[in-house]
């Protein structure tokens, strides 16, 4: 873990030099700063010189956009780095820096005057304590883009508009979002209207269950924007349709789009004309390529890819229950009909887990002489029996379907018995020396069996794909398949409980990779902490 929770990096070199140096500078700073890394750009400033006039923001032109793109691309390669390039001073930062940084190559000579200049600037501009530690960074300048762009006019500037609009999902605010928003801040002189997709607009996104709640996305967006350019006014609003206020706000002058969303911008302008409003200038920002994109991920930096990378990882801490034995470590695996839960259970079994199939236990409790047989017959009558005395589960299912009171009567009898048998199986896994036990149970959460496990792992699948699988596997109509799914807990409800989420939407090899990643990370969690006893 880097030693400082936040930091301020001051860069004073000419803007055209930044693209080839960005990767080395960001890598060096990321080794020191765990949380937000703020970047103050002030070309030509001599940190070791006498205190001069207040800081001047670099001109809003192509050279600045190119520098921003390079810095945010470099930060994207350092997953988890929260980079914020400041486009204008004026307020205390949301997460005050705990260390000040500058590039040693930009500050030749003795370090002390440079460190003093850093402290002086941070105190004057951002209200930082004057005694913050100040460090000079070495950097690896290998690779990167060539310096400058011979086709660009060095004196070119961006157009300016009073009020600018932009829209997006803004999930897990990443480098491409930050570049887009920074461009908006450079174009706007008074106000930025940011529409944040919500509700039905999220339904067809990849892994919508893993999209952050609107309130969290909006809060992160506001914090970033108010840090980056505090002089602007920010309106952040939820979008329930693709257009929002962009087609009704008479004060808007510009809409910032990407090459993917330009067509949507043109539709906005048609609707504005229909509403008697002037068209908006469409300012297009290029997409940022993702050099690390994997199979089934987009080539651009995207929230969809980031959500896919969450699959198999630990999303929230495991349960801490002193009453739960530490061995075997029990995973509760759950998921809706058609989600691929069974195939994942088999993969975990091949990796060495002891797998308990709760569905098989459920069948066992119903057999004549089984622990729930007499109670179920007494509660629901002899008409549920076949001629050989076995319980006809289809007849029983028809009796409880759509009747919550009867269903509860049945589950109150059956679920405790399945749980008792599952605990016996867990003890059997322990006697066999198994370190990990998987309780494969579709109703894990509904039955309250999460109290029996250390972690909940859930498998999810889009509803349309689940319907297709159920129809193909069980021969049901689409309507019957949807009714079955709607009677179950939703994906989003399961994800709220889950420590680990898996998805079988893609090729089997992708599922295997997810499960292997989840298993490897689990083994790391189960590994004993190294001892810090100095006498050992």
């Amino acid at each position: 873990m880097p030693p400082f929770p936040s930091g301020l990096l001051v860069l004073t070199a000419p803007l055209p030099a930044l693209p080839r140096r960005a990767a080395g500078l960001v890598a060096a700073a990321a080794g020191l700063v765990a949380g937000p890394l703020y970047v103050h750009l002030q070309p030509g400033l001599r940190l070791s010189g006498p205190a001069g006039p207040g800081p001047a923001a670099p001109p809003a032109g192509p050279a600045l956009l190119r520098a921003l793109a390079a810095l945010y691309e470099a930060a994207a390669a350092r997953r988890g780095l929260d980079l914020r390039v400041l486009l204008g001073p004026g307020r205390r930062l949301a997460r005050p820096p705990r260390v000040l940084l500058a590039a040693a190559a930009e500050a030749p000579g003795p370090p002390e005057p440079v460190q003093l200049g850093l402290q002086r600037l941070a105190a004057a501009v951002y209200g930082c304590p004057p005694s913050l530690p100040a460090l000079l960074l070495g950097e690896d300048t290998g690779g990167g883009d060539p310096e400058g762009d011979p086709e660009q006019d060095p004196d070119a500037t961006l157009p300016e508009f009073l009020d600018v609009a932009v829209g997006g999902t803004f999930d897990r605010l990443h480098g491409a979002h930050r570049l887009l928003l920074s461009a908006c801040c450079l174009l706007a002189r008074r106000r930025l209207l940011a529409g944040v997709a919500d509700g039905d607009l999220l339904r067809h996104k990849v892994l919508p269950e893993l999209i952050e709640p609107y309130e969290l996305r909006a809060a992160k967006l506001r914090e970033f924007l108010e840090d980056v350019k505090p002089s602007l006014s920010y309106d952040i609003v939820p979008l329930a349709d693709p257009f929002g206020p962009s087609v009704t706000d008479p004060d808007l002058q510009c809409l910032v789009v990407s090459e993917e969303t330009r067509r949507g911008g043109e539709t906005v302008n048609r609707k504005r004309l229909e509403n008697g409003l002037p068209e908006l200038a469409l300012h297009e920002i290029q997409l940022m390529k993702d050099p690390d994109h994997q199979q089934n991920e987009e080539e651009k930096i995207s929230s969809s890819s980031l959500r896919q990378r969450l699959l198999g990882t630990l999303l929230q801490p495991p349960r801490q229950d002193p009453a739960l034995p530490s061995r075997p470590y029990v995973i509760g695996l759950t998921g809706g009909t058609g989600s691929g839960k069974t195939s994942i259970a088999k993969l975990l079994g091949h990796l060495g887990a002891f797998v308990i199939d709760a569905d098989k236990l459920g069948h066992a409790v119903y057999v004549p002489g089984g622990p729930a047989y007499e109670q179920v017959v007494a509660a629901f009558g002899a008409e549920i029996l076949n001629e050989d005395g076995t319980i006809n589960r289809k007849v029983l299912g028809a009796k409880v379907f759509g009747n919550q009171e009867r269903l509860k009567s049945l589950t109150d009898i059956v679920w405790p018995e399945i749980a008792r048998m599952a605990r016996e199986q867990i003890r059997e896994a322990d006697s066999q020396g198994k370190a990990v036990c998987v309780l494969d149970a579709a109703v894990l959460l509904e039955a309250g069996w999460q109290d029996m496990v250390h972690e909940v792992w859930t498998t999810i699948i889009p509803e349309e794909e689940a319907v297709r699988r159920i129809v193909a596997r069980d021969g049901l109509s689409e309507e019957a398949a949807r009714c079955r799914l709607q009677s179950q807990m939703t994906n989003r409800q399961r994800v709220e409980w889950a420590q680990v989420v898996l998805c079988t939407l893609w090729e089997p090899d992708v599922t295997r990779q997810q499960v292997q990643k989840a298993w490897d990370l689990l083994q790391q969690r189960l590994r004993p902490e190294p001892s810090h006893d100095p006498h050992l």
Side-chain angles (χ1 to χ4, degrees):
M1 174 70 77
F4 297 100
S6 55
L8 174 66
L9 171 61
V10 177
L11 299 178
T12 62
L15 290 179
L18 271 180
R20 66 179 174 82
R21 300 177 56 220
L25 287 166
V26 169
L32 295 169
V33 177
L37 174 60
Y38 295 104
V39 178
H40 174 99
L41 299 176
Q42 194 166 348
L45 175 68
R46 286 187 64 243
L47 287 169
S48 58
L64 178 55
L65 272 181
R66 185 174 167 82
L68 291 171
L71 287 165
Y72 283 122
E73 283 177 4
R78 323 290 304 186
R79 291 185 183 177
L81 178 61
D82 179 2
L83 188 78
R84 308 181 189 188
V85 184
L86 305 170
L87 302 174
R91 69 187 288 273
R92 293 179 65 88
L93 300 170
R95 317 283 179 90
R98 293 292 181 259
V99 65
L100 307 176
L101 306 170
E106 297 177 6
E112 289 81 7
V114 177
Q115 292 165 330
L116 183 61
L118 273 174
Q119 292 169 332
R120 191 167 53 222
L121 180 143
V125 179
Y126 301 111
C128 298
S131 57
L132 283 182
L135 307 174
L136 299 185
L137 299 176
E139 58 188 282
D140 176 8
T141 57
D145 292 336
E147 185 171 326
D149 185 341
E151 296 184 4
Q152 283 185 351
D153 178 359
D155 298 321
T157 58
L158 297 175
E160 286 188 336
F161 306 92
L162 282 177
D163 291 11
V164 173
V166 69
T169 306
F170 300 115
D171 180 41
R172 304 176 197 281
L173 209 60
H174 53 64
H177 289 145
R178 292 166 194 247
L179 178 61
L180 176 72
L181 294 166
S182 297
C184 294
C185 290
L186 294 175
L187 294 166
R189 284 169 41 203
R190 181 175 66 188
R191 176 176 67 120
L192 175 60
L193 170 67
V196 181
D198 199 28
D200 284 346
L201 290 183
L202 306 181
R203 283 187 60 195
H204 299 294
K205 297 286 185 181
V206 175
L207 299 171
E209 300 86 359
L210 296 181
I211 293 177
E212 296 170 318
Y214 167 80
E215 292 77 13
L216 179 58
R217 287 180 285 137
K220 288 182 177 181
L221 187 58
R222 181 172 295 281
E223 181 178 295
F224 175 80
L225 290 169
E226 291 183 347
D227 265 346
V228 165
K229 195 170 181 183
S231 60
L232 292 179
S233 171
Y234 296 106
D235 288 342
I236 298 174
V237 298
L239 292 181
D241 63 71
F243 308 111
S246 67
V247 297
T248 57
D249 190 324
D251 295 327
L252 291 176
Q253 296 177 333
C254 173
L255 178 64
V256 180
V257 298
S258 70
E259 54 199 272
E260 282 186 344
T261 60
R262 171 172 277 278
R263 187 172 296 178
E266 293 167 352
T267 304
V268 165
N269 275 337
R270 286 196 294 271
K271 288 189 172 291
R272 284 181 69 86
L273 290 175
E274 291 170 5
N275 292 337
L277 296 173
E279 290 185 307
L280 302 177
L282 300 182
H283 189 90
E284 184 175 314
I285 298 297
Q286 287 193 333
L287 298 171
M288 286 175 62
K289 298 289 186 183
D290 184 351
D292 299 322
H293 76 275
Q294 304 294 315
Q295 184 181 7
N296 294 304
E297 293 181 352
E298 297 182 87
E299 291 188 5
K300 64 172 184 174
I301 293 176
S302 75
S303 299
S304 298
S305 297
L306 296 182
R307 290 194 294 277
Q308 285 180 248
R309 292 169 194 171
L310 291 174
L311 296 172
T313 67
L314 191 69
L315 300 181
Q316 57 181 312
R319 291 183 62 244
Q320 299 296 325
D321 184 353
L324 205 58
S326 59
R327 282 183 66 94
Y329 196 84
V330 184
I331 302 297
L333 178 64
T334 190
T337 303
S339 66
K341 175 178 60 65
T342 302
S343 64
I344 286 175
K346 288 178 181 177
L347 290 171
L348 290 169
H350 292 151
L351 289 169
F354 184 99
V355 178
I356 302 169
D357 186 339
D359 193 47
K360 287 183 179 178
L361 299 183
H363 281 84
V365 301
Y366 284 108
V367 300
Y373 179 84
E374 296 293 343
Q375 293 181 73
V376 170
V377 173
F380 294 94
E383 62 266 29
I384 67 170
L385 296 177
N386 294 312
E387 291 182 3
D388 61 359
T390 58
I391 292 175
N392 186 320
R393 292 183 66 178
K394 283 190 176 180
V395 173
L396 177 60
K399 273 182 167 286
V400 301
F401 184 77
N403 187 318
Q404 290 300 313
E405 185 177 342
R406 285 186 176 182
L407 179 61
K408 186 176 185 307
S409 297
L410 178 62
T411 57
D412 283 350
I413 296 169
V414 173
W415 283 351
E417 295 298 337
I418 297 175
R420 182 184 58 76
M421 295 171 74
R423 288 189 177 92
E424 290 177 357
Q425 291 280 292
I426 291 170
R427 287 192 288 271
E428 174 62 23
D430 186 32
S431 70
Q432 293 183 20
K434 291 287 189 177
V436 176
C437 183
V438 173
L439 175 57
D440 173 6
V443 295
L444 181 90
L445 300 174
E446 294 90 332
W449 296 339
Q450 64 268 30
D451 292 342
M452 297 166 54
V453 307
H454 298 86
E455 296 180 19
V456 173
W457 292 16
T458 190
T459 61
I460 59 175
I461 202 77
E463 181 178 308
E464 291 305 316
E465 175 64 14
V467 167
R468 189 191 66 78
R469 292 181 182 183
I470 295 167
V471 168
R473 183 190 66 192
D474 300 339
L476 298 180
S477 66
E478 283 195 16
E479 183 181 0
R482 289 187 195 282
C483 283
R484 182 183 292 184
L485 289 171
Q486 288 163 8
S487 70
Q488 299 175 358
M489 187 177 280
T490 66
N491 283 341
R492 193 171 294 278
Q493 288 171 321
R494 289 192 180 92
V495 167
E496 287 176 0
W497 281 97
Q499 273 76 31
V500 174
V501 175
L502 301 159
C503 180
T504 63
L505 177 61
W506 302 282
E507 295 85 354
D509 188 51
V510 175
T511 300
R512 280 192 292 273
Q513 291 173 23
Q514 282 179 42
V515 174
Q516 185 68 59
K517 177 169 75 170
W519 181 262
D520 291 344
L521 292 173
L522 173 63
Q523 300 312 304
Q524 291 179 24
R525 295 197 288 281
L526 297 183
R527 203 168 293 147
E529 292 287 333
S531 173
H532 298 289
D533 188 336
H535 301 292
L536 294 180

